[in-house]
Every structure is written in C-alpha cells, then in structure tokens.
C-alpha cells in the first residue's frame, strides 16, 4: 500500500521554495491511489526558541498554506505533529537505535548550531531522529521533500534498516525519497549559491506565500541575474547559478521543463525574461495568497480541520506504536 507523507516546520512564513519543493508536489500527488499524510512539524520548530503564541499562530498558518496550495482534506490528512503522541514515543526508541556517529555527520545541525555548539538544544541535535519517527510512524513508503532534506531522509532509511535488523523483523518499509524536478532546490533571489530560506534576513531574497502581486513583481525585478543572454540549452546554465535558478522557477511554476523555457527564451536577455517570469509567478501565486488570507481570517475553521486530521492520524499511528512496543519488549498491555 502506497503511503505518502511529508511535513513542514512551523517556524516562520512559507516561501516559493517551500511551495515548489513541497506544497505544490503534495497537491499534485492527490490523484493517485495512495494514503496521504501532511503535518505541521511544531515539535521540530521548538528545537530553537519559539515565542509560544507565535508558534501556535504559525502552526495554524502552515495548515492554511496546505489548504491554500490545494491539499484537500477529503484526500489527505493534515495534522499538527504534537497532536499525535506516537511521534515522540517512537523518537525515543529510535534515539536508542540511531548512532551518535550518524548524527555527528548531519550538516543541518552544524549549520544551525553555529560555532557555539555547547549552547544548542539537545533537541536540535536529535532532530533527524524525530524526523525518522515522523515518517516511520505511518510506515510511509514515499516522502516528497526538497533537496535540502536528503541527508535526513538517508538517516530515516538507516533507522528503518537498523531497527529491522536489530530486532530481526521486517516491520518498517524503507521509504523512498521523492525530489525530482526543477523545484527541488530553489535558491535565494539575491545569491544563486544560497538556498531560498525563511531565515535569510533579506526579505528580497525570497517570495513569500503572503506577498501581493506588486511585491512579487518588484522582487523579481531586483533579483540578481547576469549580463548575458539566456542559452539555447540547459548546459549553458552551468556556472550561472542565478540564471539557472530563475529559469528553474519559471519551469517549475509553468509545469514545463528547463529545455522548454530555453526554447522560448534562449538568445533573449533578462530584460525580456524577467517580466515574463514575474507574470508567471504572479499568475500562479496570487490565487494562493488570496486563498491564504481568506483562510487565516477563520482560525476556528483551521482548528476544525486540524482536529479531524489529528484524530485520523492517531488512528493510524496507535497500532504502530503498539506493534513497536511489542517488538522492543516494552509492556504494551495484555
Ligand atoms: P522545512 O520546514 O524547512 O521545509 C519544508 C519543505 O520545503 C522544502 N524546501 C525547499 N524546497 C526547494 N527549495 C528550497 N529553497 C526549499 N526550502 C525548503 C523542504 O525540503 C521541505 O520539503 N525537517 C523538515 C520538516 C520535517 C519533515 C518530516 C519532512 C519534519 N519531519 C518528515 C518530511 C518528512 C523541514 O524542516 O522542512
């Protein structure tokens, strides 16, 4: 049975990278015969300090982003991670399966902890283990994410294999990671070598899901590019990170390939390409930000959606926790 699962951290407003690397894919994956679980990773968010009321607002906001992007609760289960206690239960057991050496190699911890590692939270260190629990708790088979999650997904696969091996069971499926297409790695509009991110201090580096049409157009106009014309073929974009990124954004949003975009724009400069790009971004993103504003005006409705999702997710997760307890030898009732 195919089970698709993914999560988004509740730690700030979402941007075009989150949309193309994650949300759009989730919405596009709703036609096939699979079960789908999409959650708001609020437990991951608190690995760094979060203002409590803001965390709660952000959790609702991410839920609204799922809905605004087209995730349909008739086809997908949307829920807050912390509403299903199995995530934490499994995370502890996996803390005892994963090895220190594996976590020591995680580049995200090194990036986020910075120089003063001693002052990082223990949760930040063991963050990828909680992520493995998120995925395996639902015995997910497919995990759509952006490229930046590659290492975490590898660790999840390692946890699944080691658990199965240590306890001599064939219990957890080893999940497949889905990060195909030009949307898997969207870069900053100010620097083609840095990924588009919530934490970049410059708001001009990203397009937020909440930006209006004028803001989007002005950010694209200011986006860093180069003085050359666009090449006729994709190979011509190597060593031109900003150009590659802008063409990739166009392709991902328009639902075409980089080759197709270059067919139309090869030989033209950014003076011609940028207005066309701005038009596509506005055309695709404006309806989403409009829906988002409508949804955010009704937090009670969002809470209703989350409650339905949490109940459904708990139904699926509870028997897995029970199985795992039995496998490990923890008392799980008679
Ligand atoms: P997060 O919240 O940082 O990002 C959410 C999703 O957006 C993708 N993404 C991008 N894709 C393309 N270009 C970008 N610039 C870009 N920035 C972000 C991310 O790859 C991700 O798919 N640890 C995860 C949340 C998580 C999770 C999970 C994901 C927790 N448990 C279980 C999958 C399965 C995170 O912090 O994503």
């Amino acid at each position: 049975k195919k089970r698709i699962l993914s999560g988004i951290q509740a730690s700030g407003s979402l941007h075009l990278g989150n949309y193309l690397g994650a949300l759009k894919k989730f919405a596009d994956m709703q036609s096939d015969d699979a079960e789908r679980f999409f959650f708001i990773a609020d437990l991951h968010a608190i690995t760094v300090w979060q203002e409590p009321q803001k965390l709660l607002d952000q959790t609702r906001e991410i839920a609204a982003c799922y809905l605004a992007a087209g995730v349909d609760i008739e086809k997908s289960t949307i829920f807050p991670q912390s509403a299903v206690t199995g995530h934490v239960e499994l995370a502890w057991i996996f803390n005892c399966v994963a090895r220190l050496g594996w976590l020591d190699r995680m580049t995200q911890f090194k990036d986020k902890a910075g120089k003063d590692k001693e002052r990082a939270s223990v949760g930040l260190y063991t963050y990828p283990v909680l992520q493995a629990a998120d995925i395996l708790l639902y015995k997910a088979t497919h995990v759509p994410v952006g490229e930046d999650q590659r290492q975490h997904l590898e660790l999840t696969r390692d946890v699944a294999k080691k658990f199965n091996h240590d306890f001599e069971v064939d219990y957890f499926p080893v999940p497949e990671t889905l990060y195909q297409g030009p949307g898997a790695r969207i870069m900053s509009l100010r620097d083609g070598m840095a990924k588009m991110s919530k934490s970049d201090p410059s708001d001009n580096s990203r397009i937020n899901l909440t930006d209006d049409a004028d803001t989007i157009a002005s950010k694209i106009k200011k986006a860093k590019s180069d003085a050359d014309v666009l090449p006729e073929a994709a190979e011509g974009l190597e060593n031109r990170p900003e150009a590659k990124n802008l063409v990739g954004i166009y392709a991902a949003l328009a639902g075409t390939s980089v080759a197709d975009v270059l067919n139309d724009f090869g030989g033209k400069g950014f003076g011609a390409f940028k207005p066309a790009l701005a038009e596509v971004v506005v055309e695709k993103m404006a309806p989403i930000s409009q829906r988002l504003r409508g949804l955010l005006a009704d937090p009670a409705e969002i809470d209703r959606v989350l409650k339905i999702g949490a109940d459904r997710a708990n139904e699926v997760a509870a028997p897995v926790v029970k199985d795992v307890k039995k496998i490990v030898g923890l008392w799980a009732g008679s």
Side-chain angles (χ1 to χ4, degrees), residues 7 9 17-18 44 127 131 134 145-146 148-149 183-184 186 196 198:
Q9 201 166 279
N18 299 124
H44 276 114
Y127 177 119
Q131 186 157 343
D134 298 337
V145 282
D148 58 345
Q149 296 300 313
I186 301 298
M196 187 177 283
K198 295 167 197 165

Side-chain angles (χ1 to χ4, degrees), residues 5-11 14-23 25-26 39 41 44 62 81 108 112 127 130-132 134-135 143-150 152-153 156 182-188 194-198:
L5 173 140
S6 199
I8 297 181
Q9 201 166 279
S11 55
L14 298 192
H15 51 71
L16 187 64
N18 299 124
Y19 178 66
L20 292 175
L23 285 170
K25 285 189 206 155
F26 305 165
F39 64 93
H44 276 114
I62 307 270
Q81 181 188 32
Q108 185 182 287
K112 284 204 180 173
Y127 177 119
L130 177 59
Q131 186 157 343
D134 298 337
I135 296 167
V143 185
V145 282
E147 265 237 351
D148 58 345
Q149 296 300 313
R150 184 182 291 272
H152 290 158
L153 268 297
T156 299
R185 189 166 171 78
I186 301 298
M187 310 310 280
S188 154
K195 74 168 180 178
M196 187 177 283
S197 121
K198 295 167 197 165

Side-chain angles (χ1 to χ4, degrees), residues 108-122:
Q108 185 182 287
F109 175 76
K110 290 178 198 160
D111 292 345
K112 284 204 180 173
K115 283 194 193 70
D116 200 1
K117 210 170 83 176
E118 299 279 306
R119 298 185 61 84
S121 75
V122 176

